[in-house]
Amino acid sequence: MSWPGDDAYQATHCLRLQIRHLTNELEAAEAAGNYSEANRTREKLKPLNDSLHNLVQLMRSLDEAEEDET
């Protein structure tokens, strides 16, 4: 059986993997002195970080609502 929290956990896990991958690309671009590529990578990272933050906030709100029900 799948729980709603499982989907949220999977989504956060996927976002974290994508963020880690792009962070590695960012660090490599900066180390190589390729600042235009680093800036493009930063632009890709911003919406992922925002999405992760929003998802974590939603999960906290759901946890609080669940606690209020008990």
Side-chain angles (χ1 to χ4, degrees):
M1 178 177 212
S2 177
W3 299 95
D6 293 343
D7 293 336
Y9 175 80
Q10 284 288 47
T12 59
H13 181 70
C14 290
L15 281 169
R16 287 180 176 148
L17 288 175
Q18 290 175 326
I19 289 168
R20 184 179 307 142
H21 174 74
L22 286 173
T23 301
N24 290 341
E25 285 185 11
L26 173 62
E27 290 172 354
E30 288 177 337
N34 189 347
Y35 298 109
S36 61
E37 182 63 29
N39 287 335
R40 281 193 294 275
T41 304
R42 277 189 197 89
E43 291 299 314
K44 292 177 188 176
L45 274 167
K46 180 156 181 19
L48 293 175
N49 281 321
D50 292 346
S51 294
L52 181 59
H53 174 77
N54 291 337
L55 184 56
V56 168
Q57 291 298 100
L58 176 63
M59 290 171 68
R60 286 183 182 150
S61 295
L62 291 173
D63 283 345
E64 289 171 3
E66 188 175 281
E67 287 176 7
D68 290 344
E69 288 179 1
T70 58

Coordinates of all heavy atoms in Angstrom, one line a residue:
M1 N 0.8 -1.2 0.0 CA 0.0 0.0 0.0 C 0.9 1.2 0.0 O 1.9 1.3 0.7 CB -0.9 0.0 1.2 CG -1.8 1.2 1.4 SD -2.9 1.0 2.8 CE -4.3 1.9 2.2
S2 N 0.5 2.2 -0.7 CA 1.3 3.5 -0.8 C 0.6 4.6 0.0 O -0.6 4.7 0.0 CB 1.3 3.9 -2.3 OG 2.0 5.2 -2.4
W3 N 1.4 5.3 0.8 CA 0.9 6.4 1.6 C 1.2 7.7 0.9 O 2.2 7.8 0.2 CB 1.6 6.3 3.0 CG 1.3 5.1 3.7 CD1 2.1 4.0 3.7 CD2 0.2 4.8 4.5 NE1 1.5 3.0 4.5 CE2 0.3 3.5 5.0 CE3 -1.0 5.5 4.8 CZ2 -0.6 2.8 5.8 CZ3 -1.9 4.8 5.6 CH2 -1.7 3.6 6.1
P4 N 0.3 8.7 1.1 CA 0.6 10.0 0.5 C 2.0 10.5 0.8 O 2.6 11.2 0.0 CB -0.5 10.9 1.0 CG -1.6 10.0 1.5 CD -0.9 8.7 1.9
G5 N 2.5 10.3 2.0 CA 3.8 10.7 2.4 C 4.9 10.1 1.5 O 6.0 10.7 1.4
D6 N 4.6 8.9 1.0 CA 5.6 8.2 0.2 C 5.9 9.0 -1.1 O 7.0 9.1 -1.5 CB 5.1 6.8 -0.2 CG 5.1 5.8 1.0 OD1 5.7 6.2 2.1 OD2 4.4 4.8 0.9
D7 N 4.8 9.5 -1.7 CA 5.0 10.3 -2.9 C 5.7 11.6 -2.6 O 6.6 12.0 -3.4 CB 3.6 10.7 -3.5 CG 2.9 9.4 -4.0 OD1 3.6 8.4 -4.4 OD2 1.7 9.5 -4.1
A8 N 5.5 12.2 -1.5 CA 6.2 13.5 -1.1 C 7.6 13.2 -0.9 O 8.5 13.9 -1.3 CB 5.5 14.1 0.1
Y9 N 7.9 12.0 -0.2 CA 9.3 11.7 0.1 C 10.0 11.4 -1.2 O 11.1 11.8 -1.4 CB 9.3 10.4 1.0 CG 10.7 9.9 1.1 CD1 11.6 10.6 2.1 CD2 11.2 8.9 0.4 CE1 12.9 10.1 2.2 CE2 12.5 8.4 0.5 CZ 13.4 9.1 1.4 OH 14.7 8.7 1.6
Q10 N 9.4 10.7 -2.2 CA 10.0 10.4 -3.5 C 10.3 11.7 -4.2 O 11.3 11.8 -4.9 CB 9.1 9.5 -4.3 CG 9.1 8.1 -3.9 CD 10.4 7.4 -4.2 OE1 11.5 7.9 -4.0 NE2 10.3 6.2 -4.8
A11 N 9.3 12.6 -4.1 CA 9.5 13.9 -4.8 C 10.7 14.7 -4.3 O 11.5 15.2 -5.0 CB 8.3 14.8 -4.8
T12 N 10.8 14.7 -2.9 CA 12.0 15.4 -2.3 C 13.3 14.7 -2.7 O 14.3 15.3 -2.9 CB 11.8 15.5 -0.8 OG1 11.8 14.2 -0.2 CG2 10.7 16.4 -0.4
H13 N 13.2 13.4 -2.7 CA 14.4 12.6 -3.0 C 14.9 12.9 -4.5 O 16.1 13.2 -4.7 CB 14.2 11.1 -2.9 CG 15.4 10.3 -3.2 ND1 16.5 10.2 -2.4 CD2 15.6 9.4 -4.2 CE1 17.4 9.4 -2.9 NE2 16.8 8.9 -4.0
C14 N 13.9 13.0 -5.4 CA 14.3 13.3 -6.8 C 14.8 14.7 -6.9 O 15.8 14.9 -7.7 CB 13.0 13.1 -7.7 SG 12.6 11.4 -7.9
L15 N 14.2 15.6 -6.3 CA 14.7 17.0 -6.3 C 16.1 17.1 -5.7 O 16.9 17.8 -6.3 CB 13.7 17.9 -5.6 CG 12.4 18.3 -6.3 CD1 11.5 19.0 -5.3 CD2 12.8 19.2 -7.5
R16 N 16.3 16.5 -4.6 CA 17.7 16.5 -4.0 C 18.7 15.9 -5.0 O 19.8 16.4 -5.1 CB 17.7 15.8 -2.7 CG 17.0 16.6 -1.6 CD 17.0 15.9 -0.3 NE 16.4 16.7 0.7 CZ 15.7 16.3 1.7 NH1 15.5 15.0 1.9 NH2 15.2 17.1 2.6
L17 N 18.4 14.8 -5.7 CA 19.3 14.3 -6.6 C 19.6 15.2 -7.8 O 20.8 15.4 -8.2 CB 18.8 12.9 -7.2 CG 18.8 11.8 -6.2 CD1 18.1 10.5 -6.9 CD2 20.2 11.4 -5.8
Q18 N 18.6 15.9 -8.3 CA 18.7 16.8 -9.4 C 19.6 18.0 -8.9 O 20.5 18.5 -9.6 CB 17.4 17.3 -9.9 CG 16.6 16.3 -10.6 CD 15.3 16.8 -11.0 OE1 14.6 17.6 -10.3 NE2 14.8 16.3 -12.2
I19 N 19.3 18.5 -7.7 CA 20.1 19.6 -7.1 C 21.5 19.2 -6.9 O 22.4 20.0 -7.3 CB 19.4 20.1 -5.8 CG1 18.1 20.8 -6.1 CG2 20.4 21.0 -5.0 CD1 17.2 21.1 -4.9
R20 N 21.8 18.0 -6.4 CA 23.2 17.6 -6.2 C 23.9 17.5 -7.6 O 25.1 17.9 -7.7 CB 23.2 16.2 -5.5 CG 24.6 15.7 -5.2 CD 24.6 14.4 -4.5 NE 23.8 14.4 -3.4 CZ 23.1 13.3 -3.0 NH1 23.1 12.2 -3.7 NH2 22.3 13.4 -1.9
H21 N 23.2 17.0 -8.6 CA 23.8 16.8 -9.9 C 24.2 18.2 -10.5 O 25.3 18.5 -10.9 CB 22.9 16.1 -10.9 CG 23.4 16.1 -12.3 ND1 24.4 15.3 -12.7 CD2 23.0 16.8 -13.3 CE1 24.6 15.5 -14.0 NE2 23.7 16.4 -14.4
L22 N 23.3 19.2 -10.4 CA 23.5 20.5 -10.9 C 24.6 21.2 -10.0 O 25.3 22.0 -10.6 CB 22.2 21.3 -10.9 CG 21.3 20.9 -12.1 CD1 19.9 21.6 -11.9 CD2 21.9 21.2 -13.4
T23 N 24.6 21.0 -8.7 CA 25.6 21.6 -7.9 C 27.0 21.1 -8.3 O 27.9 21.9 -8.4 CB 25.3 21.3 -6.4 OG1 24.0 21.8 -6.1 CG2 26.4 21.9 -5.5
N24 N 27.1 19.8 -8.6 CA 28.4 19.3 -9.1 C 28.8 20.0 -10.4 O 29.9 20.3 -10.6 CB 28.3 17.8 -9.3 CG 28.3 17.1 -8.0 OD1 28.6 17.6 -6.9 ND2 27.8 15.8 -8.0
E25 N 27.8 20.1 -11.3 CA 28.1 20.8 -12.6 C 28.5 22.3 -12.3 O 29.4 22.8 -13.0 CB 26.8 20.8 -13.5 CG 26.6 19.5 -14.1 CD 25.4 19.6 -15.1 OE1 24.9 20.7 -15.5 OE2 24.9 18.5 -15.5
L26 N 27.9 22.9 -11.4 CA 28.2 24.3 -11.1 C 29.6 24.4 -10.6 O 30.4 25.3 -11.0 CB 27.2 24.9 -10.0 CG 27.5 26.2 -9.4 CD1 27.5 27.3 -10.5 CD2 26.5 26.6 -8.4
E27 N 30.0 23.5 -9.6 CA 31.3 23.5 -9.1 C 32.4 23.3 -10.2 O 33.4 23.9 -10.2 CB 31.4 22.5 -8.0 CG 30.7 23.0 -6.7 CD 30.6 21.9 -5.7 OE1 31.0 20.7 -5.9 OE2 30.1 22.2 -4.6
A28 N 32.1 22.3 -11.1 CA 33.0 22.0 -12.2 C 33.2 23.2 -13.1 O 34.3 23.5 -13.5 CB 32.5 20.8 -12.9
A29 N 32.1 23.9 -13.4 CA 32.1 25.1 -14.3 C 32.9 26.2 -13.7 O 33.8 26.8 -14.3 CB 30.7 25.5 -14.7
E30 N 32.7 26.4 -12.4 CA 33.5 27.4 -11.7 C 34.9 27.1 -11.6 O 35.8 28.0 -11.8 CB 32.9 27.7 -10.3 CG 31.6 28.4 -10.3 CD 31.0 28.5 -8.9 OE1 31.3 27.7 -8.0 OE2 30.1 29.4 -8.7
A31 N 35.3 25.8 -11.3 CA 36.7 25.4 -11.2 C 37.4 25.6 -12.6 O 38.6 25.9 -12.6 CB 36.7 24.0 -10.8
A32 N 36.6 25.4 -13.7 CA 37.2 25.5 -15.0 C 37.2 27.0 -15.5 O 37.7 27.3 -16.6 CB 36.4 24.7 -16.0
G33 N 36.6 27.9 -14.7 CA 36.6 29.3 -15.0 C 35.5 29.6 -16.1 O 35.5 30.7 -16.7
N34 N 34.6 28.7 -16.3 CA 33.5 28.9 -17.3 C 32.3 29.5 -16.5 O 31.4 28.9 -16.2 CB 33.2 27.5 -17.9 CG 32.2 27.7 -19.0 OD1 31.6 28.7 -19.3 ND2 32.0 26.6 -19.8
Y35 N 32.4 30.8 -16.4 CA 31.4 31.5 -15.5 C 30.1 31.7 -16.2 O 29.0 31.7 -15.6 CB 32.0 32.9 -15.1 CG 33.2 32.6 -14.2 CD1 34.5 33.0 -14.7 CD2 33.1 32.0 -13.0 CE1 35.6 32.7 -13.9 CE2 34.2 31.8 -12.2 CZ 35.4 32.1 -12.6 OH 36.5 31.9 -11.8
S36 N 30.1 31.7 -17.6 CA 28.8 31.7 -18.2 C 28.0 30.4 -18.0 O 26.8 30.5 -17.8 CB 28.9 32.1 -19.7 OG 29.7 31.0 -20.4
E37 N 28.7 29.3 -18.1 CA 28.0 28.0 -17.8 C 27.6 27.9 -16.3 O 26.5 27.4 -16.0 CB 29.0 26.9 -18.1 CG 28.4 25.5 -17.9 CD 27.2 25.2 -18.8 OE1 27.1 25.8 -19.9 OE2 26.3 24.4 -18.4
A38 N 28.4 28.5 -15.5 CA 28.1 28.5 -14.0 C 26.8 29.3 -13.8 O 25.9 28.9 -13.0 CB 29.3 29.0 -13.2
N39 N 26.7 30.4 -14.5 CA 25.5 31.2 -14.3 C 24.3 30.5 -14.9 O 23.2 30.6 -14.3 CB 25.7 32.6 -15.0 CG 26.6 33.5 -14.2 OD1 26.8 33.3 -13.0 ND2 27.3 34.4 -14.9
R40 N 24.4 29.8 -16.0 CA 23.3 29.1 -16.5 C 22.8 28.0 -15.6 O 21.7 27.7 -15.4 CB 23.6 28.5 -17.9 CG 23.6 29.5 -19.0 CD 23.6 28.8 -20.4 NE 24.9 28.1 -20.6 CZ 26.0 28.8 -21.1 NH1 25.9 30.0 -21.4 NH2 27.1 28.1 -21.3
T41 N 23.8 27.3 -15.0 CA 23.5 26.3 -14.0 C 22.8 26.8 -12.8 O 21.9 26.2 -12.2 CB 24.8 25.5 -13.6 OG1 25.4 25.0 -14.8 CG2 24.5 24.4 -12.7
R42 N 23.3 28.0 -12.3 CA 22.6 28.7 -11.2 C 21.1 28.9 -11.5 O 20.3 28.8 -10.7 CB 23.3 30.0 -10.8 CG 24.5 29.8 -10.0 CD 25.0 31.2 -9.5 NE 26.3 31.0 -9.0 CZ 27.4 31.2 -9.7 NH1 27.4 31.5 -11.0 NH2 28.6 31.0 -9.2
E43 N 20.9 29.4 -12.7 CA 19.5 29.6 -13.2 C 18.7 28.3 -13.2 O 17.5 28.4 -12.9 CB 19.5 30.3 -14.5 CG 20.0 31.7 -14.6 CD 19.2 32.6 -13.7 OE1 18.0 32.6 -13.7 OE2 19.8 33.4 -12.9
K44 N 19.3 27.2 -13.5 CA 18.6 25.9 -13.4 C 18.3 25.5 -12.0 O 17.3 24.9 -11.7 CB 19.4 24.8 -14.1 CG 19.5 25.0 -15.6 CD 20.4 23.9 -16.2 CE 20.7 24.1 -17.6 NZ 21.6 23.1 -18.1
L45 N 19.3 25.8 -11.1 CA 19.1 25.4 -9.7 C 18.0 26.2 -8.9 O 17.4 25.6 -8.1 CB 20.5 25.6 -9.0 CG 21.5 24.5 -9.0 CD1 22.8 25.0 -8.6 CD2 21.0 23.3 -8.2
K46 N 17.9 27.4 -9.2 CA 16.9 28.3 -8.4 C 15.5 27.7 -8.4 O 15.0 27.5 -7.3 CB 16.9 29.7 -9.0 CG 15.9 30.5 -8.2 CD 16.2 32.0 -8.2 CE 15.2 32.8 -7.4 NZ 14.5 32.2 -6.4
P47 N 14.9 27.3 -9.5 CA 13.5 26.8 -9.4 C 13.5 25.4 -8.7 O 12.5 25.1 -8.0 CB 13.0 26.7 -10.8 CG 14.2 26.8 -11.7 CD 15.3 27.5 -10.9
L48 N 14.5 24.6 -8.8 CA 14.6 23.4 -8.1 C 14.7 23.6 -6.6 O 14.0 22.9 -5.8 CB 15.7 22.5 -8.5 CG 15.7 22.0 -10.0 CD1 17.0 21.3 -10.3 CD2 14.5 21.1 -10.2
N49 N 15.5 24.5 -6.2 CA 15.6 24.8 -4.7 C 14.3 25.4 -4.2 O 13.9 25.0 -3.1 CB 16.8 25.8 -4.5 CG 18.1 25.2 -4.5 OD1 18.3 24.1 -4.0 ND2 19.1 25.8 -5.0
D50 N 13.7 26.3 -5.0 CA 12.4 26.8 -4.6 C 11.3 25.7 -4.4 O 10.6 25.7 -3.5 CB 11.9 27.9 -5.6 CG 12.7 29.1 -5.6 OD1 13.5 29.3 -4.6 OD2 12.6 29.9 -6.5
S51 N 11.3 24.8 -5.4 CA 10.4 23.7 -5.4 C 10.6 22.8 -4.1 O 9.6 22.4 -3.5 CB 10.4 22.8 -6.6 OG 10.0 23.6 -7.7
L52 N 11.9 22.5 -3.9 CA 12.2 21.7 -2.7 C 11.7 22.4 -1.4 O 11.1 21.8 -0.5 CB 13.7 21.4 -2.6 CG 14.1 20.5 -1.5 CD1 13.4 19.1 -1.5 CD2 15.6 20.3 -1.5
H53 N 12.0 23.7 -1.3 CA 11.6 24.4 -0.1 C 10.1 24.4 0.0 O 9.5 24.1 1.1 CB 12.1 25.9 -0.2 CG 11.6 26.7 0.9 ND1 12.1 26.7 2.1 CD2 10.6 27.7 0.9 CE1 11.5 27.6 2.9 NE2 10.5 28.2 2.2
N54 N 9.3 24.6 -1.1 CA 7.9 24.6 -1.0 C 7.3 23.2 -0.6 O 6.4 23.1 0.1 CB 7.3 25.1 -2.3 CG 7.5 26.5 -2.6 OD1 7.8 27.3 -1.7 ND2 7.5 26.9 -3.9
L55 N 7.9 22.2 -1.2 CA 7.5 20.8 -0.9 C 7.7 20.5 0.6 O 6.8 19.9 1.3 CB 8.2 19.8 -1.8 CG 7.8 18.4 -1.6 CD1 6.3 18.2 -1.9 CD2 8.6 17.5 -2.6
V56 N 8.8 20.9 1.1 CA 9.1 20.6 2.5 C 8.1 21.4 3.4 O 7.6 20.9 4.4 CB 10.6 21.0 2.9 CG1 10.8 21.0 4.4 CG2 11.5 20.0 2.2
Q57 N 7.8 22.6 3.1 CA 6.8 23.4 3.8 C 5.5 22.7 3.8 O 4.8 22.7 4.8 CB 6.7 24.8 3.3 CG 8.0 25.7 3.5 CD 8.2 25.9 5.0 OE1 9.1 25.2 5.6 NE2 7.5 26.8 5.6
L58 N 5.1 22.2 2.6 CA 3.8 21.5 2.5 C 3.8 20.3 3.4 O 2.8 20.0 4.1 CB 3.6 21.2 1.0 CG 2.3 20.3 0.7 CD1 1.1 21.1 1.1 CD2 2.3 19.9 -0.7
M59 N 4.9 19.5 3.3 CA 4.9 18.3 4.2 C 4.8 18.6 5.6 O 4.1 17.9 6.4 CB 6.3 17.6 3.9 CG 6.3 16.9 2.5 SD 7.9 16.2 2.1 CE 8.0 14.9 3.2
R60 N 5.5 19.7 6.1 CA 5.4 20.1 7.5 C 3.9 20.5 7.8 O 3.4 20.2 8.9 CB 6.3 21.3 7.8 CG 7.7 20.9 7.8 CD 8.6 22.0 8.2 NE 10.0 21.6 8.2 CZ 11.0 22.4 7.9 NH1 10.9 23.6 7.5 NH2 12.3 21.9 7.9
S61 N 3.3 21.2 6.9 CA 1.9 21.6 7.1 C 1.0 20.4 7.2 O 0.1 20.4 8.1 CB 1.4 22.6 6.0 OG 2.1 23.8 6.0
L62 N 1.2 19.4 6.4 CA 0.4 18.2 6.4 C 0.6 17.5 7.7 O -0.3 16.9 8.3 CB 0.7 17.3 5.2 CG 0.2 17.9 3.9 CD1 0.8 17.0 2.8 CD2 -1.3 18.0 3.8
D63 N 1.9 17.4 8.2 CA 2.2 16.8 9.4 C 1.5 17.4 10.6 O 1.0 16.8 11.5 CB 3.7 16.7 9.7 CG 4.5 15.7 8.9 OD1 3.8 14.8 8.3 OD2 5.7 15.8 8.8
E64 N 1.5 18.8 10.6 CA 0.9 19.5 11.7 C -0.6 19.3 11.6 O -1.2 19.1 12.7 CB 1.2 21.0 11.5 CG 2.6 21.4 11.9 CD 3.0 22.8 11.5 OE1 2.1 23.6 11.1 OE2 4.2 23.1 11.7
A65 N -1.2 19.3 10.5 CA -2.6 19.0 10.3 C -3.0 17.6 10.8 O -4.0 17.4 11.5 CB -3.1 19.2 8.9
E66 N -2.1 16.7 10.5 CA -2.4 15.3 11.0 C -2.3 15.2 12.5 O -3.1 14.5 13.1 CB -1.4 14.4 10.3 CG -1.6 12.9 10.5 CD -0.6 12.1 9.8 OE1 -0.8 11.9 8.5 OE2 0.3 11.6 10.4
E67 N -1.3 15.9 13.1 CA -1.2 15.9 14.5 C -2.4 16.6 15.2 O -2.8 16.1 16.2 CB 0.1 16.7 14.9 CG 1.3 15.9 14.6 CD 2.6 16.7 14.9 OE1 2.5 17.8 15.5 OE2 3.7 16.2 14.6
D68 N -2.9 17.6 14.6 CA -4.1 18.3 15.1 C -5.3 17.4 15.1 O -6.2 17.5 16.0 CB -4.4 19.6 14.3 CG -3.4 20.7 14.6 OD1 -2.6 20.5 15.6 OD2 -3.3 21.6 13.8
E69 N -5.4 16.5 14.2 CA -6.5 15.5 14.1 C -6.5 14.5 15.2 O -7.5 13.9 15.5 CB -6.6 14.8 12.7 CG -7.0 15.8 11.6 CD -7.0 15.0 10.3 OE1 -6.7 13.8 10.2 OE2 -7.3 15.7 9.3
T70 N -5.3 14.2 15.7 CA -5.2 13.2 16.7 C -5.3 13.7 18.1 O -5.5 14.8 18.4 CB -3.9 12.4 16.6 OG1 -2.8 13.3 16.8 CG2 -3.8 11.7 15.3

